[in-house]
Amino acid sequence: MVELDIASTTSKQQRRLKLLFVNLSSVIVIVYIYCRKSIRTDQVRMVVPAAEESDACRVILKAKTRKLVRKRLDFERLPRTLLPSHYEIYIEPDYTTCETYKGITALTITVTDVVKVLKLSAVGLEILEVTYEDEAKKQVLRSVEITVDDENELMTVEFERGLLPGNGTLSILFLGRIQDNMKGFFRTKYSTVEGEERYAFGTHFEPNYARHAFPCLDEPDFKATFDVSLVVPKNRTGLSNMPIVNESPLESNRKNYRILKFETTPVMPTYLLAFVIGEYDILEAITEGGVIIRAFTPPGKKFQGEFGLRVAVKCLEFYTNYFDIPYPLPKLDLVPFSSFSSGAMENWGLITFRETAFLVDPEQSSSISTQWTAVVIAHEISHQWFGNLVTMAWWTDLWLNEGFATFMQFLCVDHVFPEYKIWTQYATDVVIPGLELDGFHSSHPVQVEIRDPGDIAEVFDTISYCKGAAVVGMLYRYMGEELFRKGLRTYLNLYSYKNAKGWELWECLEVSSALPILKMMRTWTEQTGFPLVKIADISQRSDARGITLTMERFCANPKYSSNKIEFKDSIWVIPIHFSKGSGLLESATSSLMDGTESCIVDFLIPDVSPSDWLKVNSEVSGFYRVNYPSHMLNEFIPSIRDRTMGPVDRLNLLDDLYALVKCGESRTVSFVAFSFFAYWKHILMKTSSVSGKV
């Protein structure tokens, strides 16, 4: 920040303020005139270009009055008067301008109550006509008024008379704009081998961007099947969630284009639908279960997709075995874009990436970027089960969807590439960043009630990702591998092709393990922060070690750390994992610190000799910090120096002590002394011995 001399700049500021006021007044006048013109509603006669054969496309349509509502209203979820079961979607881009497209949505719905005005999700679309065909009465109702409110992302359709309960088909003819902001149906540039710039087209619908591409019921519990048809040039590739089932030519005057029709998808929410049109080199492999996996790379970069394809095959086979549920689709496509709004997106059967998260040059890419590609692929493929096969009921549980996948990516990569020693990165990239941010007074619970999907970007941050993954990891280590897998399999089988809430996962894990999972997880997901575990007392009892632990909320800011009254009601059920050291031997034992009964808990750890050190939170298995007395810290030093203590535990000790010094819970001299004798003295001795030989 640059500090200014206020006295010498006062006159300049006054002149600038006057100029700003004049400019602002001009802008207000211009906006007022523009708004008055825009609010006028005109009857517009529109001619729809020829598309595939359908009643909606064979007539000249007269667009209904389109009202523009400028005010942002409080968000309301769509009424349950319409329940979708199937979409037929037709998309035909204008390849001349690459800016617009025309589309048709035929939505099979169940009307649950008499309704005259329908509400759907839509943004930035020109709706040309809406009709409803009653399945029972074989009657076709036409809309009398269509209102699209872009500000509130809502489309309302009023019919000449009310729709009666029953089944029917809602057909919508519309025009859309191909986006440059990576939302909905977007375009992105790529270069050919000759250096020519061209456009590829793709979609990104999570969390609520499907409404930018076609009218729909854009909420995660409105699951349905999808039939997608795309108009694609003959020299381009067209992809969607499922394989192509039919290819037919366009009308005779457009021989360079064809219509690709894809197989019907499984039941899924709108945010998992995807389609891609572009020019690609293709690599293909088949898993042991017969699933076809293809990598689509930019022209001339086929070799950069080989690593990602190998990783995808191994990850898909790992998860198929781990969840004991076959991958439900016949194929899995992997497509990178030069520009993409996130690292990757788990669309069912068609995972999309940013190029830097997928392409690996075996000669140029660093080991870090190569490992990152493996981690990203493992993350997205885990979603094919957890998120796609079973979907959250609402965005409030998005933290669990992403936190679970973040933990599983490390579990999978550790299995596929044990040489990566990926659990060290789990500590540095997930647990420690989560602790650093969640320690502040301004933090928030990992589970936050989300009313408006527009708030997801603000609420879903590093705390949600990192703490979410760390909490799932803590649960995994508390339950153990077999019980954790058993509970997951129960959950995935019970809610396959359905929606579920977070507590329903905890319930399945509890039933499968007979452990108090619901009680434990509530303390970690519904309150802010995490505990600081202190060693209140420790004693040797023959061949066992007695230890008394207390808990309180950790706060990184000394201002709040000194005020314990505010946090006195913060309690957790903490899985405590102990590790002990005897030379090269190390073993771990676990217990449960139930803070709901008392914040002071006694433990007796067997088979710990007087010469053994005892460490709490072995391998950073829990999401909390530990405050050790100085004599316990000194006991760790020999094992740190000779590295009989693992790297994650060594890092954990230093990170906890540093955080305690910053918040005033420990003295700076303790940190300096411990870090010097445990780490830096050893390093300096090694460096001096090397320099002596130079």
Side-chain angles (χ1 to χ4, degrees):
M1 182 173 65
V2 178
E3 294 184 0
L4 298 176
D5 184 352
I6 298 176
S8 64
T9 58
T10 302
S11 58
K12 291 182 181 179
Q13 289 178 348
Q14 290 174 347
R15 288 195 299 271
R16 288 172 182 171
L17 285 172
K18 289 179 182 178
L19 183 59
L20 178 62
F21 178 80
V22 173
N23 291 339
L24 186 58
S25 302
S26 303
V27 170
I28 292 172
V29 171
I30 292 170
V31 170
Y32 174 77
I33 294 171
Y34 173 80
C35 290
R36 284 183 59 88
K37 289 182 178 180
S38 299
I39 289 175
R40 295 173 186 169
T41 55
D42 301 320
Q43 296 292 325
V44 183
R45 190 171 180 81
M46 305 187 72
V47 179
V48 182
E52 66 176 1
E53 288 296 311
S54 71
D55 291 339
C57 291
R58 283 199 297 263
V59 295
I60 296 176
L61 299 174
K62 188 175 184 180
K64 308 299 180 183
T65 302
R66 183 173 185 266
K67 297 180 180 178
L68 300 181
V69 181
R70 297 289 182 181
K71 184 179 179 182
R72 174 70 173 177
L73 305 175
D74 290 338
F75 173 78
E76 291 184 6
R77 294 186 64 176
L78 294 172
R80 266 50 190 168
T81 50
L82 302 182
L83 300 178
S85 59
H86 181 69
Y87 288 82
E88 289 189 20
I89 298 172
Y90 173 87
I91 299 293
E92 182 177 346
D94 181 347
Y95 291 103
T96 304
T97 65
C98 295
E99 293 180 352
T100 60
Y101 63 97
K102 59 186 175 184
I104 303 170
T105 296
L107 175 55
T108 304
I109 57 174
T110 297
V111 181
T112 61
D113 198 0
V114 179
V115 57
K116 189 175 180 181
V117 178
L118 306 185
K119 291 184 178 182
L120 294 91
S121 306
V123 184
L125 302 174
E126 293 291 336
I127 310 299
L128 305 180
E129 184 175 78
V130 181
T131 61
Y132 176 75
E133 182 176 354
D134 189 302
E135 185 181 274
K137 295 189 175 183
K138 303 298 181 183
Q139 293 179 339
V140 177
L141 299 178
R142 293 187 179 275
S143 57
V144 295
E145 185 176 59
I146 304 169
T147 303
V148 178
D149 178 2
D150 285 344
E151 185 65 29
N152 292 288
E153 304 184 349
L154 193 65
M155 163 186 167
T156 57
V157 183
E158 184 176 350
F159 288 91
E160 49 201 3
R161 60 179 180 273
L163 277 59
L164 299 177
N167 299 326
T169 301
L170 189 67
S171 298
I172 306 170
L173 184 63
F174 64 94
L175 300 176
R177 179 165 292 277
I178 301 173
Q179 304 295 322
D180 289 316
N181 60 4
M182 304 293 131
K183 293 181 180 179
F185 184 34
F186 66 86
R187 64 183 184 177
T188 178
K189 287 184 179 180
Y190 69 96
S191 297
T192 65
V193 177
E194 295 78 20
E196 179 187 351
E197 281 195 343
R198 295 177 181 171
Y199 281 115
F201 305 94
T203 58
H204 184 71
F205 291 160
E206 189 184 28
N208 58 337
Y209 302 145
R211 63 191 67 182
H212 291 252
F214 62 97
C216 55
L217 297 166
D218 197 15
E219 294 183 7
D221 60 339
F222 279 131
K223 282 192 166 186
T225 56
F226 294 81
D227 282 341
V228 174
S229 296
L230 300 176
V231 174
V232 180
K234 288 186 177 180
N235 61 349
R236 296 290 184 271
T237 299
L239 301 170
S240 190
N241 304 75
M242 299 294 286
I244 296 172
V245 68
N246 183 54
E247 180 177 334
S248 58
L250 221 52
E251 56 266 27
S252 57
N253 62 333
R254 302 177 67 191
K255 293 181 179 179
N256 293 329
Y257 298 88
R258 80 266 201 215
I259 300 174
L260 302 181
K261 182 175 175 58
F262 298 86
E263 290 181 20
T264 304
T265 71
V267 174
M268 65 183 193
T270 49
Y271 81 86
L272 291 177
L273 183 67
F275 38 89
V276 170
I277 302 169
E279 186 179 9
Y280 299 101
D281 292 338
I282 306 172
L283 299 92
E284 184 176 307
I286 301 178
T287 68
E288 293 176 354
V291 178
I292 298 172
I293 301 183
R294 299 180 297 180
F296 293 79
T297 66
K301 296 183 179 180
K302 187 174 183 177
F303 70 101
Q304 295 186 24
E306 293 174 353
F307 176 77
L309 182 63
R310 290 199 307 271
V311 172
V313 170
K314 292 179 180 180
C315 290
L316 196 75
E317 291 174 346
F318 169 80
Y319 288 124
T320 299
N321 175 68
Y322 195 87
F323 297 131
D324 198 24
I325 297 175
Y327 175 71
L329 278 64
K331 62 91 175 174
L332 176 61
D333 292 335
L334 314 166
V335 182
F337 291 109
S338 57
S339 300
F340 198 58
S341 59
S342 58
M345 175 59 203
E346 68 268 18
N347 314 299
W348 214 356
L350 177 54
I351 300 175
T352 46
F353 301 83
R354 189 181 298 150
E355 282 188 5
T356 54
F358 182 76
L359 299 180
V360 172
D361 187 327
E363 299 295 329
Q364 301 293 330
S365 297
S366 67
S367 59
I368 292 177
S369 63
T370 302
Q371 290 182 24
W372 174 242
T373 294
V375 166
V376 171
I377 293 172
H379 179 103
E380 303 307 330
I381 293 181
S382 75
H383 275 310
Q384 305 300 300
W385 284 265
F386 201 96
N388 297 7
L389 182 63
V390 179
T391 308
M392 62 205 158
W394 183 243
W395 300 110
T396 296
D397 285 317
L398 180 60
W399 78 268
L400 181 57
N401 196 38
E402 294 300 334
F404 179 87
T406 301
F407 172 74
M408 289 302 298
Q409 72 192 28
F410 289 97
L411 196 67
C412 177
V413 171
D414 182 60
H415 174 83
V416 175
F417 299 104
E419 66 273 18
Y420 285 178
K421 301 187 185 303
I422 204 70
W423 288 117
T424 304
Q425 295 180 39
Y426 171 77
T428 58
D429 298 347
V430 174
V431 181
I432 289 177
L435 290 170
E436 287 176 349
L437 288 174
D438 199 34
F440 289 107
H441 184 258
S442 57
S443 182
H444 60 78
V446 70
Q447 180 173 305
V448 179
E449 185 67 30
I450 294 177
R451 291 195 67 257
D452 187 341
D455 297 335
I456 289 176
E458 297 178 14
V459 174
F460 202 65
D461 52 16
T462 303
I463 294 172
S464 300
Y465 253 104
C466 293
K467 184 177 180 180
V471 166
V472 173
M474 179 170 59
L475 180 62
Y476 166 82
R477 288 180 171 86
Y478 170 56
M479 296 181 66
E481 174 94 19
E482 289 308 312
L483 289 178
F484 185 74
R485 289 178 69 181
K486 181 182 176 182
L488 281 182
R489 290 169 177 174
T490 300
Y491 171 78
L492 291 172
N493 279 291
L494 184 61
Y495 294 104
S496 287
Y497 304 105
K498 301 175 185 175
N499 295 87
K501 298 181 179 179
W503 66 266
E504 289 170 315
L505 171 60
W506 312 142
E507 190 174 61
C508 288
L509 293 173
E510 182 166 306
V511 169
S512 299
S513 64
L515 295 170
I517 305 299
L518 276 164
K519 178 182 178 181
M520 169 185 156
M521 295 309 293
R522 197 171 291 121
T523 66
W524 289 97
T525 62
E526 296 177 3
Q527 63 180 340
T528 303
F530 59 87
L532 170 63
V533 174
K534 292 183 175 182
I535 288 84
D537 187 47
I538 188 165
S539 60
Q540 188 69 31
R541 305 174 191 176
S542 185
D543 288 333
R545 188 75 56 89
I547 187 169
T548 301
L549 303 179
T550 66
M551 77 168 74
E552 61 190 51
R553 178 178 164 184
F554 175 85
C555 193
N557 190 330
K559 172 185 174 182
Y560 296 103
S561 184
S562 60
N563 182 15
K564 303 299 182 185
I565 298 176
E566 184 178 351
F567 305 137
K568 64 182 178 66
D569 295 327
S570 298
I571 52 177
W572 289 265
V573 177
I574 314 173
I576 302 288
H577 291 257
F578 299 94
S579 59
K580 59 181 181 179
S582 301
L584 296 176
L585 300 176
E586 187 173 332
S587 60
T589 182
S590 63
S591 302
L592 198 66
M593 186 176 182
D594 190 348
T596 59
E597 302 296 332
S598 172
C599 288
I600 304 176
V601 184
D602 295 317
F603 297 94
L604 186 64
I605 313 301
D607 302 322
V608 182
S609 69
S611 60
D612 284 339
W613 50 259
L614 185 68
K615 183 181 181 298
V616 184
N617 200 14
S618 173
E619 295 289 326
V620 199
S621 56
F623 193 75
Y624 57 91
R625 295 198 184 277
V626 183
N627 193 349
Y628 295 94
S630 57
H631 71 273
M632 288 187 71
L633 288 174
N634 291 334
E635 291 173 358
F636 297 136
I637 292 177
S639 293
I640 292 173
R641 286 179 177 174
D642 61 22
R643 298 194 175 186
T644 52
M645 180 184 286
V648 174
D649 277 332
R650 299 199 303 267
L651 175 64
N652 174 230
L653 287 171
L654 196 62
D655 183 65
D656 277 359
L657 187 55
Y658 179 65
L660 292 169
V661 169
K662 287 202 300 181
C663 75
E665 288 283 351
S666 185
R667 296 185 304 162
T668 304
V669 66
S670 301
F671 172 76
V672 172
F674 177 74
S675 59
F676 175 75
F677 286 107
Y679 299 90
W680 292 110
K681 184 178 180 181
H682 177 73
I683 293 171
L684 290 171
M685 288 173 63
K686 290 289 184 184
T687 2
S688 62
S689 64
V690 171
S691 60
K693 296 176 181 179
V694 177

